[in-house]
Amino acid sequence: MPNLHNFGAGPAKLPEEVYDVLAKELRDFESSGLSLLETSHRSAVFEKFNTQVQDTVRELLEVPSNYKILFLQGGGQGLFAGVPLNLMSRTGTADYVVTGIWSKVAAKEASKYGKVNYVLPEQEVYVGIPDEATWKLDPNASYVHICANDTIHGIEFNFIPDTKGVHLVADMSSNIMTRKFDVSNFGVIYACAQKNMGTAGVTLVIVREDLLGHALPICPSVFDWTLMAKNNSILNTPPVNAIQIMGRILQLYVQQGGLTKMAELMTKKSSMVYSVIDQSNDFYFSTTARKDRSVVNIPFRIGTPVSEELEKKFLQGAEALGMVQLNGHKLVGGIRVSLYNSVTMQDVEVLVIYMKEFYEKHR
Ligand SMILES: Cc1ncc(COP(=O)(O)O)c(C=O)c1O
């Protein structure tokens, strides 16, 4: 609903402008006379659009020409299996840097397909990224996996780890398209779309070409990146509607100034929220180490000690003012503010005014 301020972690807010474009083209896609939803995925119309969306990903992220861009299905968790199925065969082992629940789930899934080396000691609570000097990397690993931004804990890598020559694989489900970075530092980047690029149904994989050709024999064909790359991601019927939405959102990002502009806005929005948290004398507090704070997902608790009653009040009051989906993930509770690209400065202004008023009333 346009009047609501949606801070959901995913499926997340979509840009208003894209709703207008989609409404116009839903029945007649680019004057083809047909909706894309009822057009063959093997038609010239879809083939052209599919390539255009790949080109837009390449343009926004400046993806070098020796990387393939794939659109798959199965969501982020599908890729938790897809990564080991495609990359683990070389040595049968992989390094997982577990800095939150999502990387923990990824590691567990990978252990079905080979040996997982846990680079860090198990942590009961996730508060940040331990110093790289303490990481126990295995030089024999087929790859090193990180979750670039843990959506639940708001823990984000703001550096590219030194993996000592082993291929780096990153789950960027919640921070892709929020800034530019050097893709050539990564062997594989993957992300589900429903946070910052569209809706559930399509997942993006950016894979360096020399890593193709190593899928385990048990790898299902639709998860096999080599087969998918050969078939331009059209081995079977792709999620055409999800690709259509993703394409339109990414084109909008280009028109709005690309990822430099997105990063600038993200920094502004997150500093507005963190500054209220930091000036509240621990009334609002974040457990994440400052150096690893995410600019995209900001979880916090209310009260010292934590008061679930106050948190409930906060959420109810926010909802009454049209601010929705501010609850923390069910595993950690509390509040979580997600600031994906489509969340506007105006949304954030309304939120910080409310946070300040709530603090004054209940501190
Ligand atoms: C960082 C991260 N990775 C993976 C996933 C799983 O994505 P999906 O629900 O598409 O499987 C999520 C979902 O929120 C996520 O935040």
Side-chain angles (χ1 to χ4, degrees):
M1 224 206 274
N3 294 332
L4 295 182
H5 306 282
N6 182 357
F7 295 99
K13 180 175 177 181
L14 298 174
E16 268 319 307
E17 299 90 326
V18 165
Y19 277 108
D20 297 337
V21 174
L22 292 172
K24 275 196 200 120
E25 68 180 23
L26 192 65
R27 286 204 153 266
D28 182 6
F29 183 77
E30 294 188 345
S31 307
S32 65
L34 284 182
S35 165
L36 199 63
L37 308 186
E38 53 188 14
T39 301
S40 166
H41 54 289
R42 308 209 181 270
S43 64
V45 172
F46 183 73
E47 184 87 33
K48 181 172 156 227
F49 185 67
N50 192 38
T51 305
Q52 254 174 31
V53 185
Q54 287 173 31
D55 290 346
T56 314
V57 172
R58 207 174 277 284
E59 177 184 348
L60 282 166
L61 288 170
E62 294 175 13
V63 179
S65 58
N66 61 329
Y67 284 73
K68 292 280 187 216
I69 293 172
L70 310 177
F71 299 143
L72 306 183
Q73 300 187 63
Q77 295 213 39
L79 265 309
F80 291 174
V83 166
L85 281 165
N86 281 277
L87 300 181
M88 234 184 189
S89 71
R90 205 171 46 84
T91 66
T93 173
D95 277 351
Y96 275 74
V97 185
V98 173
T99 51
I101 288 167
W102 285 118
S103 36
K104 188 177 177 182
V105 178
K108 189 163 173 239
E109 188 69 20
S111 67
K112 293 179 185 169
Y113 306 105
K115 183 177 167 290
V116 165
N117 170 48
Y118 286 84
V119 170
L120 301 171
E122 193 166 348
Q123 301 172 63
E124 260 178 48
V125 202
Y126 298 102
V127 291
I129 299 163
D131 185 347
E132 259 190 294
T134 67
W135 293 17
K136 299 246 175 327
L137 293 169
D138 174 1
N140 188 44
S142 298
Y143 60 90
V144 178
H145 179 281
I146 61 167
C147 178
N149 181 63
D150 187 285
T151 325
I152 297 174
H153 308 283
I155 295 173
E156 185 166 23
F157 276 80
N158 56 23
F159 64 98
I160 298 192
D162 176 10
T163 56
K164 321 262 185 254
V166 177
H167 311 301
L168 180 60
V169 175
D171 172 3
M172 293 198 183
S173 290
S174 47
N175 67 351
I176 192 132
M177 302 297 169
T178 58
R179 78 207 66 168
K180 274 192 193 162
F181 56 88
D182 188 352
V183 172
S184 70
N185 285 304
F186 297 83
V188 176
I189 291 158
Y190 68 91
C192 56
Q194 66 269 23
K195 298 174 191 301
N196 216 23
M197 300 188 287
T199 56
V202 60
T203 41
L204 169 70
V205 173
I206 302 173
V207 51
R208 215 176 51 228
E209 282 168 351
D210 61 290
L211 294 177
L212 295 174
H214 299 286
L216 288 168
I218 57 160
C219 181
S221 301
V222 291
F223 276 3
D224 183 329
W225 301 344
T226 313
L227 264 181
M228 277 299 192
K230 265 192 200 137
N231 288 277
N232 201 21
S233 298
I234 316 180
L235 179 73
N236 64 328
T237 316
V240 290
N241 51 334
I243 294 172
Q244 180 178 4
I245 297 169
M246 181 162 91
R248 293 309 181 211
I249 289 179
L250 296 182
Q251 279 169 356
L252 181 72
Y253 292 169
V254 172
Q255 286 159 20
Q256 290 176 333
L259 299 190
T260 310
K261 186 74 193 169
M262 297 304 138
E264 198 185 297
L265 281 171
M266 193 64 76
T267 306
K268 269 194 198 150
K269 293 185 295 189
S270 58
S271 23
M272 282 162 73
V273 177
Y274 279 123
S275 107
V276 180
I277 293 175
D278 293 340
Q279 286 166 25
S280 75
N281 292 319
D282 282 349
F283 175 76
Y284 298 121
F285 70 92
S286 136
T287 47
T288 304
R290 257 170 203 262
K291 68 175 182 42
D292 304 319
R293 280 176 166 182
S294 168
V295 293
V296 192
N297 307 99
I298 309 182
F300 62 88
R301 304 300 309 246
I302 304 181
T304 321
V306 171
S307 163
E308 286 186 6
E309 206 184 309
L310 266 187
E311 290 179 341
K312 206 167 143 200
K313 231 182 219 168
F314 179 92
L315 291 172
Q316 280 167 349
E319 196 146 342
L321 294 170
M323 289 170 270
V324 297
Q325 306 207 78
L326 275 166
N327 52 295
H329 190 279
K330 66 178 186 322
L331 291 174
V332 296
I335 318 295
R336 172 172 52 175
V337 181
S338 295
L339 298 173
Y340 302 117
N341 294 344
S342 51
V343 173
T344 61
M345 284 297 284
Q346 198 235 336
D347 291 326
V348 182
E349 276 157 15
V350 173
L351 175 69
V352 297
I353 290 173
Y354 173 66
M355 286 176 72
K356 285 181 191 161
E357 283 173 4
F358 191 86
Y359 163 68
E360 288 302 338
K361 202 162 157 197
H362 297 282
R363 70 190 166 133

